[in-house]
Amino acid sequence: MTNAALVHYIKMVSQRYFNQPFTHQAWFNKRLRTTGGRYHLADHHIEINPRFAQPQHSQALLGIVLHELCHYHLHLAGKGYRHRDPDFKQQLAAVGGSRYAPALTVPQVKWHYVCTHCGQCYDRQRRLNVQRFVCSRCGGRLKLSQPATD
């Protein structure tokens, strides 16, 4: 999906769900990592995470676009556009937008540690210094049992 196709999609969603036109710009921002999209108050443009433009994430993309359009239309109308505002919460529920962007990937466990005293297991993405860290349950020493397999 190109930026032009994204603008067309957002205009279509805006007209269908809000009965109002989307008259500003939108584009993909590949620097977005933990969020699905962003609405800018200064110039009213919308940025979308391109990882949600894949065909298998079409429902998530719709939820994200609806979320950002809620910010957009409420801000232009002079109503409460922030996440905590009742206007925003009410309109988001009315159109069925997503409150949060879904996680696209599950964190991979790379290191598996076991307490030598009580047997508590710890799975971590990064390697721990076993000389520095101890078990949170009993204070015993940790031992790298085996690197987790993918």
Side-chain angles (χ1 to χ4, degrees), residues 51-81:
R51 295 177 11 189
F52 288 101
Q54 306 300 327
Q56 65 267 26
H57 302 299
S58 61
Q59 284 298 92
L61 179 63
L62 176 63
I64 292 165
V65 168
L66 288 171
H67 180 104
E68 300 309 325
L69 283 173
C70 283
H71 289 300
Y72 173 80
H73 289 300
L74 288 170
H75 181 249
L76 292 179
K79 297 180 180 177
Y81 59 88

Side-chain angles (χ1 to χ4, degrees), residues 1-138:
M1 180 182 278
T2 64
N3 287 333
L6 176 67
V7 171
H8 178 70
Y9 178 72
I10 291 176
K11 286 181 179 183
M12 181 189 67
V13 169
S14 179
Q15 196 63 43
R16 180 175 176 199
Y17 286 89
F18 296 91
N19 293 325
Q20 295 177 341
F22 176 73
T23 58
H24 291 86
Q25 290 297 311
W27 54 78
F28 290 111
N29 184 348
K30 64 183 178 183
R31 293 185 310 268
L32 295 178
R33 296 282 183 207
T34 60
T35 185
R38 186 186 309 161
Y39 167 66
H40 287 264
L41 300 172
D43 60 355
H44 311 293
H45 78 270
I46 293 177
E47 296 176 348
I48 300 292
N49 187 337
R51 295 177 11 189
F52 288 101
Q54 306 300 327
Q56 65 267 26
H57 302 299
S58 61
Q59 284 298 92
L61 179 63
L62 176 63
I64 292 165
V65 168
L66 288 171
H67 180 104
E68 300 309 325
L69 283 173
C70 283
H71 289 300
Y72 173 80
H73 289 300
L74 288 170
H75 181 249
L76 292 179
K79 297 180 180 177
Y81 59 88
R82 294 186 181 110
H83 290 129
R84 65 177 180 247
D85 293 331
D87 291 333
F88 178 79
K89 291 178 182 180
Q90 185 179 14
Q91 188 170 25
L92 188 65
V95 297
S98 61
R99 182 87 166 113
Y100 303 102
L104 290 178
T105 58
V106 177
Q108 295 179 353
V109 174
K110 295 182 181 176
W111 304 99
H112 183 75
Y113 296 92
V114 178
C115 175
T116 57
H117 187 261
C118 69
Q120 173 74 24
C121 295
Y122 297 93
D123 292 326
R124 296 289 180 263
Q125 292 181 36
R126 293 184 180 181
R127 191 165 183 168
L128 292 177
N129 181 356
V130 293
Q131 302 298 322
R132 183 173 177 212
F133 293 98
V134 295
C135 177
S136 62
R137 186 191 292 177
C138 69

